[in-house]
Every structure is written in structure tokens, then in C-alpha cells.
Amino acid sequence: KAGVTQTPRYLIKTRGQQVTLSCSPISGHRSVSWYQQTPGQGLQFLFEYFSETQRNKGNFPGRFSGRQFSNSRSEMNVSTLELGDSALYLCASSEGQGVSPLHFGNGTRLTVT
Amino acid sequence: AQRVTQPEKLLSVFKGAPVELKCNYSYSGSPELFWYVQYSRQRLQLLLRHISRESIKGFTADLNKGETSFHLKKPFAQEEDSAMYYCALNSGTYKYIFGTGTRLKVLA
């Protein structure tokens, strides 16, 4: 099976712009979750989707949003970018039933200048 | 609040020496604990989960509910074990809480 695919791999944006990141899960996985990874904070949970429904959300401002499509692909959007949004954004998929292990993508490296 | 603490940012050991990566958690219920590993230039991947009670690549981890710990151990470190290790907790609310990670360096 193909692994979790995230696009693009790298993004450079300026403050105030918005950005959309994409994630294609492993075939058959219905849950997609997003994490922000920074050197000092480690992995911080953003949100989780299952069958197009957001089941949980982390402590991030409303500028961070996401959605999931009927084919389980997911997108994450960040509006009004700030310098502090520079990070590696990781997507992970899982079967979504009960507590199932996460399968991670390679991430999208976002740099905000 | 749910929290996972990995007190060591960096752990250096010599090849053949025992390894213990510490993980403590705070959660009042019965969590599921995991260890994830990221080797150089590879994606983050599952190493082991406590309910499996199995040894992966020689690593084991025992959940100690009294001490709220889930330390990762290996009796004899190998150079290929050098990686970033993350302890993670899942409380059944569809999210994982990760520690800040420990970088393990195995010296020749």
C-alpha cells in the first residue's frame, strides 16, 4: 500500500497570506489527523477527522482549519499567517476505529517570512 | 491535564551498553501508550504500543501505572538505534499527546 502523502513538501509564504496543505491517507484509512512539529514544542495536535467529521480539535487559534473529503483526503488551511506558524506540519492516517496507530506522512515544511 | 514528559532531550550511549529512554505521563484514566521513532531522513513510525507487550528491534516498554511511566529499554544498544524517539499517549478521544522527544545517539 502506498504511504501517507503530503503535498507540497515545502512552502514559503509571507505574513498575512494564507496556505492550504494537502494529505492523502493510506488506502482504507478513514481517520486523518494533523500535527504541528516545532523544535521546542515537539508534536502539537491540531485536529482529527473521521468520515468527513471533525472529532477533536487542539488548542490552536481559529486561523487553523481543516476538512476531510469523502475519499478521506484531507486539507488543512492556515489564514493570516504569522511568523510563529513556521513549522513542519505532519499528517497521519489511521483506521480510526478505537485506538489505532498513526501512520505519518513526510510532512510539509512551512516557512513564513 | 494530559501530559507526556520526556525529561532527556539527548541521550548518548556506547554501542553494546543498555539504553533506557524515560517517559512519564499524567492522566487519571487508563491511557494507551506508544513509542514512535524517527530515523534520519525517514518519516515518524510506530515502534511499539503497550497493549502489544512485544519486543520490537530488541526494545521493550512496560506500563507502570503506579509511577505513571512507560520507559523504553534495550539491553544492548546498536548504532542503527540512533534516532529521535517520541512517547505518546492516547486517551481514547481521537488525539495523541506526544512528548517533546529524546534524541538517542549510539556511539561506536
Side-chain angles (χ1 to χ4, degrees):
Chain A
K1 281 186 181 178
V4 177
T5 304
Q6 291 187 247
T7 56
R9 290 295 307 276
Y10 302 94
L11 269 175
I12 300 176
K13 294 285 187 179
T14 55
R15 276 180 301 176
Q17 288 186 313
Q18 75 163 16
V19 68
T20 299
L21 284 56
S22 181
C23 173
S24 293
I26 290 173
S27 177
H29 284 188
R30 295 167 64 189
S31 169
V32 173
S33 48
W34 291 86
Y35 290 83
Q36 182 193 67
Q37 186 177 28
T38 55
Q41 302 283 338
L43 280 82
Q44 301 289 309
F45 172 76
L46 282 154
F47 24 67
E48 190 264 0
Y49 289 89
F50 179 83
S51 292
E52 302 179 69
T53 300
Q54 186 183 87
R55 295 194 296 190
N56 206 337
K57 186 177 187 301
N59 296 322
F60 279 82
R63 301 184 296 106
F64 291 80
S65 63
R67 58 178 176 168
Q68 187 181 34
F69 302 95
S70 58
N71 61 358
S72 294
R73 192 176 69 83
S74 177
E75 286 182 350
M76 187 191 111
N77 185 274
V78 188
S79 62
T80 319
L81 284 165
E82 300 177 1
L83 294 178
D85 297 334
S86 294
L88 181 68
Y89 289 88
L90 292 172
C91 167
S93 75
S94 70
E95 293 174 356
Q97 305 288 353
V99 178
S100 46
L102 300 176
H103 299 260
F104 284 89
N106 282 317
T108 294
R109 171 78 59 189
L110 172 64
T111 302
V112 182
T113 61
Chain B
Q2 300 164 13
R3 187 190 301 270
V4 175
T5 303
Q6 293 180 250
E8 304 135 330
K9 284 189 175 180
L10 173 66
L11 183 64
S12 296
V13 301
F14 284 102
K15 178 182 172 182
V19 174
E20 183 179 51
L21 289 90
K22 291 183 168 47
C23 172
N24 288 90
Y25 67 90
S26 63
Y27 179 63
S28 56
S30 296
E32 287 209 41
L33 276 297
F34 300 77
W35 278 98
Y36 284 83
V37 61
Q38 188 167 29
Y39 301 102
S40 178
R41 287 186 285 279
Q42 294 187 27
R43 60 186 68 192
L44 196 57
Q45 59 187 283
L46 176 69
L47 180 62
L48 55 80
R49 60 191 295 186
H50 87 270
I51 62 170
S52 299
R53 302 186 66 81
E54 57 186 350
S55 173
I56 305 292
K57 298 185 179 183
F59 284 98
T60 59
D62 290 318
L63 179 60
N64 185 323
K65 292 187 177 180
E67 296 183 359
T68 60
S69 68
F70 187 56
H71 303 327
L72 184 67
K73 300 177 183 179
K74 185 170 183 176
F76 307 104
Q78 302 299 315
E79 288 182 74
E80 55 266 30
D81 296 328
S82 294
M84 194 75 178
Y85 291 80
Y86 292 93
C87 181
L89 174 156
N90 187 303
S91 60
T93 57
Y94 313 117
K95 77 174 185 181
Y96 281 74
I97 296 170
F98 284 83
T100 50
T102 298
R103 180 167 299 282
L104 174 65
K105 282 191 176 180
V106 181
L107 309 170

